[in-house]
Structure formats: C-alpha cells, structure tokens
Amino acid sequence: MSDFLKLVGEQLRAIRIAKGLSQEEVAERTGKIGFSKGRISNIENGQSNITLSTLESLMHALNVAPEELFNFQNLSTVADIEEKNLMLSIHHSLLKERNIDEVKYVVRITKDFLETMDSQVKKNSFKPYD
C-alpha cells in the first residue's frame, strides 16, 4: 500500500494508544458491523485502502478532529500526543472559567502569535539564491 496509507495508519495507532484504547474498543466504538480488531490492525499497518466514510467512523470512535489526525509533522511519538492533549485540556479548563470576552481575547492573541511564528518559519526557510 501507499506511504500515505501507512502514515495515516501510524497516526491512528498513535492516537488510539495515547487515548488508552485497544483495537477492539475502537472497532466497537465505530458502531459498524464488520469492524474487528483485525480490520483496525490492517488499517493501522497501512494494509487496507479505506473509504472516507470509514476514516470518518474511526475519527469519531477516537474523538479526534481532522487537523489532529493529519498533523503528521508535530506528533512524532505517543508521548507527544499525550503531552499535547494534557496541555490542551489544561488550557480548556483555564478558559472555561473565564467570561466570553476574555476567551475571545485569548483566542485572538493566540491566533496572532501563531501567525507570527508561522511567518517567521516561512521567512527563515525561504532562501531565494539556493
């Protein structure tokens, strides 16, 4: 199978492990007949060409957003996923206690900060004479 299928499978496995789920539990969570531990294993090993509908079912079973699933560059290990989820959970808890104007302010500042970081990365990686 393709490298992309393997990459998606590895990402699904890492997310599943970080969430403390077995392949059997994920299969059950999809709610689809015919999903088994073996099918999940084949998908995680990049040995199964899945449909978008199947991918959507797996994402729902893992409670994962598309941007997290397809963020291959930033999550290289299970520990990274666990740490990121912990940081997001802490951030969520902190913001939950604030009023809506404060939350909007934090979101706006965070977005501006990340855009600045992204533009710096692009700026530093662009080499017109190479």
Side-chain angles (χ1 to χ4, degrees):
M1 286 288 158
S2 74
D3 289 339
F4 181 70
L5 288 175
K6 290 178 185 174
L7 195 57
V8 169
E10 288 171 7
Q11 191 78 332
L12 287 168
R13 177 185 294 117
I15 292 167
R16 175 183 59 77
I17 291 169
K19 293 182 178 264
L21 297 171
S22 69
Q23 291 175 334
E24 197 168 311
E25 289 170 317
V26 172
E28 289 172 9
R29 285 180 171 210
T30 66
K32 289 190 169 191
I33 297 172
F35 255 81
S36 64
K37 177 183 172 186
R39 176 111 191 262
I40 300 296
S41 177
N42 286 342
I43 293 168
E44 289 181 352
N45 289 313
Q47 297 172 346
S48 181
N49 191 3
I50 61 173
T51 65
L52 290 175
S53 177
T54 297
L55 183 60
E56 183 178 38
S57 294
L58 289 170
M59 290 169 55
H60 180 70
L62 292 167
N63 193 27
V64 63
E67 57 272 14
E68 185 179 356
L69 177 64
F70 292 110
N71 187 0
F72 303 116
Q73 61 186 351
N74 293 329
L75 299 176
S76 57
T77 66
V78 170
D80 289 343
I81 295 171
E82 291 171 345
E83 184 177 6
K84 182 177 180 181
N85 285 337
L86 176 61
M87 292 296 114
L88 289 171
S89 177
I90 291 169
H91 196 103
H92 182 261
S93 295
L94 291 170
L95 290 176
K96 210 171 179 184
E97 299 171 6
R98 300 303 198 163
N99 70 47
I100 189 66
D101 290 331
E102 291 173 323
V103 172
K104 286 179 181 179
Y105 177 76
V106 169
V107 168
R108 189 176 77 246
I109 295 300
T110 302
K111 183 179 174 190
D112 291 345
F113 174 76
L114 293 174
E115 286 173 357
T116 300
M117 287 180 62
D118 289 344
S119 69
Q120 289 297 317
V121 168
K122 287 178 187 174
K123 187 177 179 181
N124 292 332
S125 65
F126 177 69
K127 297 176 184 160
Y129 297 109
D130 283 354

